[in-house]
Amino acid sequence: MKINPNQFNHRVAFGYLREDEYDANGQKLEEFVSEFKLWFGYRQQTLNQQYTLEGLDIKKTKLIAVRHSHKIKESMYCQIDDDLFKIVTLSADERNGTGLNSYDILTLQLIEKRGA
């Protein structure tokens, strides 16, 4: 998959969910807390990738590419515009170190808001 860094024209915020308050019904309120931001570009999923994710009952996914970063962990969440996503898979490019030609491919799953 050839990646053109000129297509990195969107911003993504990486971080975690903080659960420290409760609503009137006793449900925990989750708030996204951003740790850092990166530029990214959307990638197209192959049919094989789409079928595999559907078979695992993972729906509403996006595939993005970012410059390689050791800060990104699979346990993180990310926010694009007003949408919150969970990192499903992280394919880190470790072969080139942290050079400009190292990219990570992330599969993100949209987090549905409760009550929406």
Side-chain angles (χ1 to χ4, degrees), residues 80-107:
I80 301 171
D81 298 324
D82 291 330
D83 293 327
L84 185 63
F85 296 89
K86 177 181 176 185
I87 298 176
V88 177
T89 59
L90 167 61
S91 178
D93 187 359
E94 300 287 348
R95 65 191 164 149
N96 292 324
T98 58
L100 291 177
N101 293 326
S102 297
Y103 303 99
D104 296 340
I105 306 296
L106 291 86
T107 304

Side-chain angles (χ1 to χ4, degrees), residues 41-52:
Y42 287 105
R43 307 300 303 159
Q44 184 174 1
Q45 291 177 339
T46 66
L47 286 175
N48 188 33
Q49 290 169 322
Q50 291 175 17
Y51 294 147
T52 300

